[in-house]
Amino acid sequence: MIKYPDYVQATNAAYETLIKFKEIGFPVGPFRIFRQLDNTKLYTYEELSKRFGVSLQAFVASSSNYGYNLFNINKKRYAVAYNSNKDETTVRFTLAHELGHVILGHIDDGEAENKEANCFARNFLCPIPAVDFFDINTIYDYQEVFNVSEPMAEIAKDMYYCDKRNISDENYLFYNEALCLEFNGESLSQFYGVPSGF
């Protein structure tokens, strides 16, 4: 169990994940990333309730209402479960949060780990370079562009300056370059007319 959350690590892990898996369009897809992870298996609560022979209601009552992960120390693998009966924005946040636990290598589920996973999820779902690139200023714009709930949009907007301060220059620039290529079809230097070599 970690004692204090490392927000710089959690923030940059989100951008490194987005970059590594080429998740540049919006909304980003935690499902697509989970399918590519060798050390993680994703389950719905419905699947697990059937496997264990209990009702879905009993399964939800015995676990988190949203999702959770378990780490098998011997196999070095994660099992991530989520409640697919929640609305789409809730499922996406839950999966981004659990992905944060996996990417950050959390074994325990303490307060510091959950704060790091929330930071990861916020940056994963609402990347700061995209906020800047698209000049997103309102809660409504966050919701529309990133397909997040109003509470998530409010938190992302409120944490903008803290999160921006935590992003490494390299991750910010690399992700911004990928955005420019994705949405303009050319690099930042081409877009702004800067000669190559500068």
Side-chain angles (χ1 to χ4, degrees):
M1 190 172 283
I2 60 176
K3 198 168 185 178
Y4 301 106
D6 185 340
Y7 294 116
V8 172
Q9 177 189 5
T11 299
N12 284 290
Y15 293 101
E16 289 158 10
T17 303
L18 290 165
I19 292 164
K20 176 180 178 181
F21 292 98
K22 297 178 174 62
E23 279 294 325
I24 308 302
F26 301 106
V28 296
F31 283 106
R32 289 188 293 269
I33 293 178
F34 272 114
R35 283 194 292 269
Q36 296 177 65
L37 295 176
D38 293 332
N39 69 332
T40 306
K41 178 74 173 147
L42 193 60
Y43 301 94
T44 65
Y45 279 12
E46 291 84 1
E47 289 175 300
L48 292 178
S49 67
K50 287 177 186 171
R51 180 178 285 188
F52 295 122
V54 297
S55 72
L56 179 59
Q57 294 78 14
F59 187 84
V60 171
S62 69
S63 59
S64 163
N65 199 23
Y66 302 100
Y68 64 90
N69 74 76
L70 297 172
F71 182 69
N72 184 320
I73 292 175
N74 296 326
K75 295 183 178 180
K76 307 283 190 243
R77 292 182 53 83
Y78 287 90
V80 173
Y82 69 99
N83 188 345
S84 62
N85 290 321
K86 295 293 182 184
D87 64 86
E88 181 184 358
T89 60
T90 300
V91 168
R92 290 182 65 253
F93 176 80
T94 300
L95 291 177
H97 175 93
E98 297 305 334
L99 180 63
H101 282 305
V102 172
I103 297 295
L104 292 165
H106 293 160
I107 296 172
D108 296 311
D109 193 26
E111 183 179 347
E113 288 86 355
N114 279 307
K115 286 181 177 180
E116 285 185 356
N118 283 340
C119 178
F120 176 98
R122 182 174 65 245
N123 283 279
F124 178 83
L125 294 172
C126 303
I128 298 295
V131 172
D132 293 345
F133 187 83
F134 296 112
D135 195 26
I136 297 170
N137 295 305
T138 69
I139 302 297
Y140 176 79
D141 289 342
Y142 272 86
Q143 289 178 266
E144 286 299 302
V145 172
F146 301 123
N147 191 25
V148 294
S149 67
E150 185 174 347
M152 177 73 253
E154 289 175 1
I155 292 168
K157 188 174 185 303
D158 289 346
M159 297 302 293
Y160 170 85
Y161 292 106
C162 291
D163 289 338
K164 188 167 184 175
R165 191 173 44 248
N166 288 333
I167 305 169
S168 72
D169 290 342
E170 179 184 9
N171 281 334
Y172 185 95
L173 291 172
F174 198 86
Y175 188 83
N176 203 32
E177 177 78 10
L179 272 176
C180 198
L181 282 168
E182 177 77 16
F183 289 96
N184 294 325
E186 52 191 358
S187 70
L188 285 171
S189 58
Q190 291 170 322
F191 183 73
Y192 288 111
V194 178
S196 61
F198 277 82

